[in-house]
Amino acid sequence: MTEPHGTHEPRFASVHDALRRNLASGAELGASLVVDIDGEVVLDLWGGFRDEARTTPWDRDTITNVWSTTKTVVSLAALMLVDRGELDVHAPVARYWPEFAANGKEHVEVRHLLSHTSGVSGLEQPAALEGLYDWDKTTARLAAQAPWWAPGTASGYHATNFGHLAGEVIRRVSGKTVKQFVAEEIAGPLDADFRIGAAEADWPRIAPIVPPPPAQFDPEPGSVMARTLSGPAVDAAIANTAAWRHADIGAVNGHGNARSVARMLSALALGGTVGGVRLLGPDTIDLVFAEQANGTDLGLGIPLRWGIGYALSRPDAVPWVPDGKVCFWGGWGGSVILTDLDRRLTISYVMNKMAPGIIGSDRSTTYVDAIYRALR
């Protein structure tokens, strides 16, 4: 089962070979990889196994938990409301969510939530991961907190609470939970096999997550990084539980594959319309590239450049993302979604065996590099 299935144009033979090698070596357990150019899928590959025992093949319709790649879909949902004139990224969050003005947050703007610069990058202690399953309680706690740094002055990755922050704004504006909005306004119209959480009917085709090696973080006690990563801390194995799959955690519990993620996020590369379905207009897409922060991220401790909803290219810090009108993000363990507007290109990679590291992995770097070499 080390030979990838699917299709690819001949010029992407090196990408196919890279995936085959990683499957053969065991670096990959199961994975899917998609390249879309100008609305045409020119590479759609999958292979390997869903389970560590290597008894169940990863097939065309296998899905898995994509961790923070989920955030890119929630950002898309928020931008759709902006495009409709129902949400203003420069307005205070409190215009839509009045309780959020508490404790000095009355001037925090919607763009600060979407660019991880709000100062609210996690929950104050006590913070248990299971607490995120209670939407009303979690959003009430976030609304009551004071920011951990001056909002708008720096980014601090909103690791586990991004979906509750942006999602509560989406709920207040649209009347729909973020899970509902994604299902009814994005995945449904695009026939994209993606949802926040996972329906029980789909559980048999989920590839369980294989956790990464233990992280080598040693943040200074009391720092934003320490508070973020413990507010709450996440054990990757929880992604394989029923409670996790039932929950609405728009930061980290989306389920899909490379094909479905590419289908939705290609909207950014294609001027906002996918398969005749209009999600965004060009002016709204331009907002993505309005730089909001550029420096060491307080939550992750690495240099990042943030636009509205997405990270922007910064080759000195993330060398596998090229310069230009490119936005991206990914999930813990290595999944990646990248949209290159200059080339009308979307790259999506999803896997179940998590790699060490924060953004991308050796595997995702190999695939993205091979794709760009093929394009040259």
Side-chain angles (χ1 to χ4, degrees):
M1 298 299 297
T2 60
E3 187 68 25
H5 301 279
T7 60
H8 65 282
E9 291 184 354
R11 58 179 164 162
F12 295 109
S14 62
V15 184
H16 173 278
D17 291 346
L19 179 57
R20 178 183 53 77
R21 285 193 301 271
N22 281 334
L23 289 168
S25 71
E28 292 281 18
L29 179 58
S32 58
L33 183 62
V34 163
V35 178
D36 180 296
I37 300 176
D38 205 23
E40 180 182 354
V41 176
V42 296
L43 179 147
D44 183 1
L45 298 175
W46 65 89
F49 296 90
R50 294 185 207 170
D51 59 323
E52 285 190 275
R54 297 175 179 264
T55 60
T56 308
W58 181 300
D59 61 28
R60 185 183 188 279
D61 295 320
T62 296
I63 57 175
T64 194
N65 191 87
V66 301
W67 295 110
S68 289
T69 294
T70 314
K71 293 179 174 73
T72 67
V73 183
V74 174
S75 291
L76 178 61
L79 289 171
M80 287 169 63
L81 293 175
V82 173
D83 195 73
R84 296 171 186 177
E86 298 174 28
L87 181 63
D88 181 354
V89 295
H90 297 287
V93 174
R95 176 186 295 179
Y96 311 101
W97 180 7
E99 299 90 334
F100 193 81
N103 252 321
K105 301 194 303 303
E106 62 273 15
H107 300 303
V108 175
E109 299 177 12
V110 172
R111 65 190 174 98
H112 297 142
L113 298 186
L114 296 175
S115 61
H116 302 266
T117 63
S118 75
V120 187
S121 59
L123 283 166
E124 296 279 9
Q125 295 299 324
L129 185 60
E130 291 78 7
L132 296 179
Y133 303 161
D134 187 329
W135 183 274
D136 290 339
K137 184 175 180 180
T138 296
T139 53
R141 287 188 62 190
L142 292 169
Q145 283 186 200
W148 292 346
W149 70 92
T153 60
S155 70
Y157 186 51
H158 296 10
T160 55
N161 66 342
F162 180 88
H164 289 80
L165 291 171
E168 182 64 7
V169 173
I170 290 167
R171 188 182 74 83
R172 298 286 180 119
V173 172
S174 71
K176 296 182 178 183
T177 65
V178 66
K179 176 187 281 193
Q180 197 180 359
F181 190 98
V182 168
E184 297 177 2
E185 308 271 354
I186 304 176
L190 296 181
D191 194 24
D193 188 10
F194 182 94
R195 63 184 292 138
I196 294 176
E200 288 191 23
D202 293 328
W203 290 7
R205 61 191 183 96
I206 292 176
I209 287 297
V210 179
Q216 301 301 311
F217 284 112
D218 188 23
E220 181 181 346
S223 65
V224 169
M225 183 188 295
R227 297 171 81 180
T228 300
L229 297 179
S230 64
V234 181
D235 176 353
I238 202 168
N240 300 325
T241 65
W244 180 268
R245 293 172 180 175
H246 281 303
D248 189 344
I249 311 176
V252 285
N253 84 330
H255 284 71
N257 52 33
R259 188 182 312 106
S260 60
V261 174
R263 175 75 171 171
M264 296 180 292
L265 272 297
S266 65
L268 297 175
L270 300 176
T273 299
V274 179
V277 178
R278 185 189 187 280
L279 302 183
L280 303 171
D283 290 346
T284 305
I285 294 172
D286 284 344
L287 288 174
V288 170
F289 296 91
E291 184 179 295
Q292 303 296 304
N294 189 353
T296 299
D297 184 274
L298 300 177
L300 295 177
I302 57 175
L304 288 173
R305 179 171 167 248
W306 286 103
I308 296 179
Y310 302 88
L312 307 180
S313 60
R314 183 174 159 164
D316 65 317
V318 190
W320 50 271
V321 177
D323 207 359
K325 204 167 186 182
V326 179
C327 63
F328 73 99
W329 198 240
W332 184 24
S335 66
V336 163
I337 177 67
L338 180 152
T339 62
D340 183 329
L341 278 66
D342 297 327
R343 298 171 178 84
R344 291 176 66 84
L345 164 72
T346 303
I347 299 170
S348 179
Y349 161 64
V350 168
M351 76 297 134
N352 60 340
K353 182 179 179 181
M354 297 171 65
I358 300 172
I359 302 174
S361 67
D362 290 345
R363 285 172 265 155
S364 57
T365 299
T366 296
Y367 304 141
V368 173
D369 284 347
I371 290 162
Y372 273 100
R373 284 198 303 272
L375 291 173
R376 287 195 292 268

